[in-house]
Amino acid sequence: MKYISEQLTSNIIKEWNNGENILITAPTGSGKTTWVKNILSKNSKSVLVLVNRSNLKKQLDKKFKGTNVAISTYQYIESSIRTGRSLDIEKYDTIVCDEAHYFISDSGFNHFTDLSLSLVLLSNSIKIFMSATIEELEEYFNHVGIVVNDIQNFEFDNNISKIYSYQN
């Protein structure tokens, strides 16, 4: 398979409408973040990317510096809601939930994942949920009646033929 940037093109993005929920599942290394930077950001006025770890946020802050893409963490959103801090996510026409399995996988020890998920779902932005392991979130959406407007499922074969290890 090609990288998702080669298949999930501007033409497909233009078919998405405000308020829609889009699921993208593709393995690690298939180019999800590169797609956000090179394709999605050029087809959106403003993009908010939510991530599940502060180290990932720092990494993406550097990668998206000077673009129309803002990076935040789910935990910041949850903390803001719990403390009454003002949030204006409606200013983004697209919200990307990277590592979207977070809403399910972290809920066992973080009892506030539903706060960030609810805020995102109530937004009138295009909502894109991306993960290599999105099946449980998709099942949850089906169970509670959340409409998924488009599902993009990518398989990626990176054909690793050798693995090297080094010993000190």
Side-chain angles (χ1 to χ4, degrees):
M1 180 201 115
K2 301 175 183 178
Y3 291 99
I4 70 169
S5 293
E6 299 171 42
Q7 295 185 25
L8 193 50
T9 62
S10 299
N11 291 334
I12 294 171
I13 294 169
K14 289 175 184 173
E15 294 176 11
W16 298 339
N17 298 303
N18 288 350
E20 290 188 339
N21 300 308
I22 313 300
L23 299 184
I24 297 174
T25 181
T28 302
S30 58
K32 294 183 292 289
T33 303
T34 301
W35 172 79
V36 170
K37 184 175 184 184
N38 295 340
I39 307 293
L40 181 66
S41 68
K42 291 175 176 49
N43 288 278
S44 302
K45 292 179 196 141
S46 58
V47 179
L48 173 62
V49 176
L50 296 174
V51 297
N52 62 339
R53 302 292 179 255
S54 58
N55 284 341
L56 180 55
K57 179 194 181 310
K58 289 176 191 173
Q59 177 186 352
L60 294 182
D61 279 338
K62 291 177 187 174
K63 184 171 189 153
F64 288 100
K65 186 175 183 178
T67 70
N68 62 337
V69 178
I71 312 296
S72 188
T73 63
Y74 298 113
Q75 294 85 355
Y76 176 81
I77 300 293
E78 294 154 9
S79 173
S80 296
I81 292 169
R82 291 176 51 226
T83 60
R85 193 177 315 134
S86 176
L87 292 170
D88 184 17
I89 68 167
E90 289 300 327
K91 68 182 179 182
Y92 301 100
D93 64 332
T94 306
I95 300 173
V96 176
C97 296
D98 193 16
E99 306 294 348
H101 58 270
Y102 161 83
F103 297 116
I104 306 298
S105 65
D106 283 29
S107 64
F109 58 87
N110 175 355
H111 302 290
F112 303 109
T113 61
D114 60 317
L115 296 177
S116 55
L117 179 58
S118 295
L119 185 69
V120 168
L121 288 171
L122 291 172
S123 165
N124 194 41
S125 305
I126 296 170
K127 291 145 322 226
I128 300 171
F129 299 88
M130 295 192 318
S131 178
T133 56
I134 206 153
E135 296 80 13
E136 287 184 342
L137 183 62
E138 184 178 2
E139 287 175 22
Y140 172 76
F141 281 6
N142 289 333
H143 179 73
V144 298
I146 295 170
V147 174
V148 174
N149 303 90
D150 191 8
I151 299 174
Q152 298 288 329
N153 188 358
F154 297 93
E155 294 179 7
F156 183 69
D157 182 11
N158 58 13
N159 293 319
I160 296 173
S161 58
K162 293 182 182 179
I163 298 177
Y164 298 91
S165 66
Y166 295 91
Q167 198 171 27
N168 288 336

